[in-house]
Amino acid sequence: MSQHRRRTPATKVKRRRVLITAAVAGVIAVGLSLGVWAVEGGSGPAGSASRPADTAAPTASDRDAAAAPTPSPTRSYPLSTAPRTIPAVRDHTPGRGPGWRPARGYRVVVSDADLADEGRLIAGELGLSYGGEKDDVRAGDVRLALGGEAGADPESYTMTVRGGRVTISGPADAGVFYGTRTLKQTVHGGGTAPEGIVRDEPAKPQRGLMLDIARKHFTADWIEDRIRELGDLKFNQLGLHFSDDQGFRIESDKHPEIVSEEHLTKAEVSRIVDLAESRHITVVPEIDSPGHLGAIIAAHPDLQLRNAQGVAARGAVDISKPAAAEIVDELIDEYADLFPGGQWHLGGDEYRALTASDPQASYPQLAAAAREAYGSGATVADLATGWLNDRAATVRAHGRTPRAWNDGFYAGTTVRPARDIKVAYWTGKEIGARIPVEYLRAGREVINYNDEFLYYVLGQPQTFVYPTGQRIYERWTPRVLRGTQAVPAQYDDQILGGSFAVWCDLANSQTQAQVAAGIRMPLRATVQKLWDPGRPGLSWAEFKALADRLG
């Protein structure tokens, strides 16, 4: 099992150590002044936000401290260009000099013990030694440091390359980690980190991949490979939809009777969560309810919803029965410690009672329960909304922020969904569909799962087709929540980010390896647009060639 410590969420900035020694401060100061090698008029690659460095000459002591193992930089060096990475860095100040590349004998050092994990990881990846928390300065050093402006995005970072050394700093360890991902990509395959300063941060705080591991069993090793891939691409969420009609895929102590033969053990899940945390990725669990509970119903058939004629509703529990709520809450309580991240997905979609033309007539027991709970005018939709609110209260008691699919929010109800439930907007095809602006106008925060671009559905059932990276790269942005049209820019801050989703409706249509290959370019395109929704600086052909080079 990984020995990485449990982390606080990335949005919580770690307290910086009170003192960073004068020697370390000097290193950072030297790095931030690119000196005599910068001149006016240079620029980075097309689309990069590059600007010339300061022109103040370094002092003699600065030059001594910055002595590089490579030839000393002179005006003969061309002005640097921005590093080519996925996602692209958002700002690069060019400079003149040899840049930096890893070499035997170089080391990674940290200015704060909280960065030990990040330091060890990048040292191992680049074949460098890890020197720990050090104040001295050596040629070839990669230094990781905490620091930055008050109120800065905890996922932001600055990477300074000068004099044969690299300094990566950020207000929190998440940002420093992303800086190490930029460095890793930049020197991949023998490349050189260009002289200059990268200042970078994401446009959206939530950047995810969701895996349907309920319909199709994915091995722990395969999921861990995806986590490493996601970390290098600066994703920060992994959703696990592990309960559905076809299977329940995580070991349960409270209800072992519901668990599918092929499943992840709790030890495997802990290993997955630990690896994810080491890459600053939050694992977001989902037990979808009150629909999509077929695996639970198979072991508890008395909970299945039936209409007035006694016909069973596939996958749906009867929410008028207290036992249905009890088993779902018991499972949430059981898994709360297994998934320590701050997010929880409640599902809430496609409850079959509300697909009937007259839910009150078709399901009189639900209608009666609604009136008893919420008054004479209450409907089945009110009862379903109350179910969603009750499950939100269960996860909230564990300190989690709930989210639910947009078709779990019903229009015209007396009972309103709790204000803190985030909208996971995936479709506009459901009965009574509401356009995204209705949720935004009501002040709700939304996560983009647009099934037009971001749904990879195995076997391509119904109208689904496998999404391409090119279409995402060229036509999608986080504001395109439904179909192909963007919502007005005034709502941009309410869109927290987005998630690419793998659904396994026809589970045997692809192998694990085929899924990994099929989502490779869509993932890269998605994170590029979540990191920077603007027009990309590279053409699709250039972007794909870069992805192929980086591996």
Side-chain angles (χ1 to χ4, degrees):
M1 183 178 295
S2 168
Q3 296 304 305
H4 287 286
R5 67 188 183 279
R6 295 286 191 194
R7 298 179 181 274
T8 55
T11 54
K12 294 182 179 179
V13 182
K14 288 188 175 179
R15 181 177 300 173
R16 191 184 179 193
R17 291 291 179 88
V18 175
L19 294 176
I20 296 179
T21 64
V24 176
V27 172
I28 296 174
V30 170
L32 293 175
S33 174
L34 293 184
V36 300
W37 308 301
V39 298
E40 297 289 338
S43 63
S48 69
S50 299
R51 58 176 184 268
D54 299 333
T55 56
T59 65
S61 61
D62 286 342
R63 287 193 297 271
D64 290 340
T70 50
S72 298
T74 70
R75 290 180 182 274
S76 65
Y77 284 103
L79 199 63
S80 66
T81 58
R84 289 276 179 102
T85 61
I86 297 175
V89 300
R90 302 187 71 184
D91 185 275
H92 177 251
T93 302
R96 296 184 186 275
W100 181 92
R101 64 173 62 186
R104 182 185 297 274
Y106 288 2
R107 64 179 186 167
V108 175
V109 295
V110 300
S111 298
D112 193 298
D114 283 341
L115 297 174
D117 286 352
E118 290 74 19
R120 290 190 181 97
L121 178 62
I122 189 65
E125 291 170 330
L126 300 187
L128 310 180
S129 64
Y130 176 65
E133 193 174 2
K134 293 289 194 302
D135 296 337
D136 62 320
V137 177
R138 294 184 187 176
D141 274 357
V142 175
R143 178 170 291 279
L144 310 184
L146 292 176
E149 297 179 3
D153 186 334
E155 294 189 305
S156 66
Y157 68 92
T158 299
M159 183 177 82
T160 302
V161 180
R162 182 177 186 258
R165 289 197 301 275
V166 180
T167 299
I168 298 171
S169 62
D173 54 354
V176 175
F177 172 73
Y178 296 139
T180 67
R181 301 307 88 191
T182 294
L183 181 63
K184 179 184 177 182
Q185 288 192 30
T186 303
V187 301
H188 177 80
T192 298
E195 208 86 3
I197 305 175
V198 168
R199 296 177 179 87
D200 202 13
E201 64 181 1
K204 294 298 179 183
Q206 296 191 21
R207 306 174 300 281
L209 166 66
M210 194 229 72
L211 294 174
D212 171 12
I213 66 171
R215 294 179 176 93
K216 181 180 181 69
H217 173 65
F218 290 92
T219 65
D221 287 345
W222 188 90
I223 296 171
E224 288 175 1
D225 284 343
R226 302 289 72 72
I227 289 170
R228 296 183 184 95
E229 180 181 13
L230 295 175
D232 282 352
L233 293 171
K234 304 186 177 92
F235 281 90
N236 65 2
Q237 289 186 359
L238 172 66
L240 294 181
H241 174 95
F242 63 90
S243 171
D244 212 302
D245 297 342
Q246 295 81 355
F248 192 98
R249 302 289 182 178
I250 296 178
E251 174 187 3
S252 173
D253 300 318
K254 288 187 177 180
H255 290 283
E257 74 281 0
I258 70 174
V259 179
S260 301
E261 182 178 353
E262 287 188 305
H263 65 271
L264 299 173
T265 67
K266 286 187 174 181
E268 288 174 322
V269 173
S270 291
R271 196 176 75 207
I272 287 167
V273 169
D274 283 347
L275 179 63
E277 287 182 333
S278 77
R279 265 64 173 179
H280 295 271
I281 294 170
T282 297
V283 180
V284 183
E286 180 189 358
I287 300 176
D288 200 349
S289 77
H292 296 280
L293 288 173
I296 292 175
I297 291 169
H300 297 272
D302 55 307
L303 298 181
Q304 187 158 29
L305 175 66
R306 294 180 181 274
N307 68 11
Q309 289 73 45
V311 178
R314 183 172 180 267
V317 294
D318 188 332
I319 58 176
S320 69
K321 295 182 176 181
E326 288 171 7
I327 192 169
V328 174
D329 284 347
E330 285 169 359
L331 291 167
I332 292 172
D333 291 340
E334 177 179 1
Y335 293 119
D337 289 339
L338 192 61
F339 297 102
Q343 309 290 320
W344 196 287
H345 204 315
L346 300 171
D349 63 316
E350 299 179 326
Y351 187 49
R352 291 185 181 272
L354 289 164
T355 64
S357 58
D358 187 347
Q360 281 67 235
S362 296
Y363 298 95
Q365 77 277 29
L366 299 185
R371 292 191 296 270
E372 182 179 351
Y374 302 112
S376 60
T379 65
V380 174
D382 285 308
L383 190 67
T385 302
W387 169 283
L388 184 70
N389 287 342
D390 289 344
R391 306 293 78 71
T394 302
V395 302
R396 196 181 297 116
H398 293 286
R400 309 298 193 267
T401 298
R403 68 180 67 167
W405 299 113
N406 61 286
D407 51 334
F409 294 76
Y410 304 105
T413 56
T414 300
V415 180
R416 299 300 176 88
R419 296 297 304 173
D420 65 337
I421 305 176
K422 313 304 180 188
V423 179
Y425 198 99
W426 72 281
T427 187
K429 303 181 179 72
E430 78 278 9
I431 294 173
R434 286 182 286 163
I435 59 175
V437 168
E438 289 192 29
Y439 299 91
L440 296 165
R441 193 182 295 129
R444 290 201 176 272
E445 292 181 314
V446 177
I447 305 154
N448 191 327
Y449 289 79
N450 187 341
D451 65 345
E452 178 78 17
F453 289 92
L454 306 180
Y455 262 36
Y456 191 93
V457 185
L458 297 197
Q460 303 182 105
Q462 303 176 54
T463 59
F464 288 107
V465 295
Y466 292 130
T468 67
Q470 182 173 1
R471 190 162 182 264
I472 296 168
Y473 189 76
E474 294 176 346
R475 299 187 59 187
W476 179 80
T477 73
R479 284 172 43 213
V480 180
L481 286 164
R482 171 179 171 176
T484 59
Q485 298 300 310
V487 299
Q490 71 191 75
Y491 298 114
D492 187 63
D493 287 347
Q494 289 173 239
I495 301 170
L496 301 177
S499 181
F500 192 83
V502 175
W503 292 102
C504 303
D505 291 40
L506 300 175
N508 296 325
S509 299
Q510 290 191 341
T511 65
Q512 290 187 143
Q514 288 172 325
V515 173
I519 67 176
R520 179 176 173 274
M521 288 309 300
L523 281 177
R524 284 152 178 77
T526 299
V527 81
Q528 173 59 47
K529 303 304 281 290
L530 289 168
W531 196 266
D532 185 352
R535 183 182 179 88
L538 301 180
S539 69
W540 171 251
E542 292 169 328
F543 185 81
K544 187 175 184 304
L546 175 61
D548 291 342
R549 181 176 67 80
L550 294 176

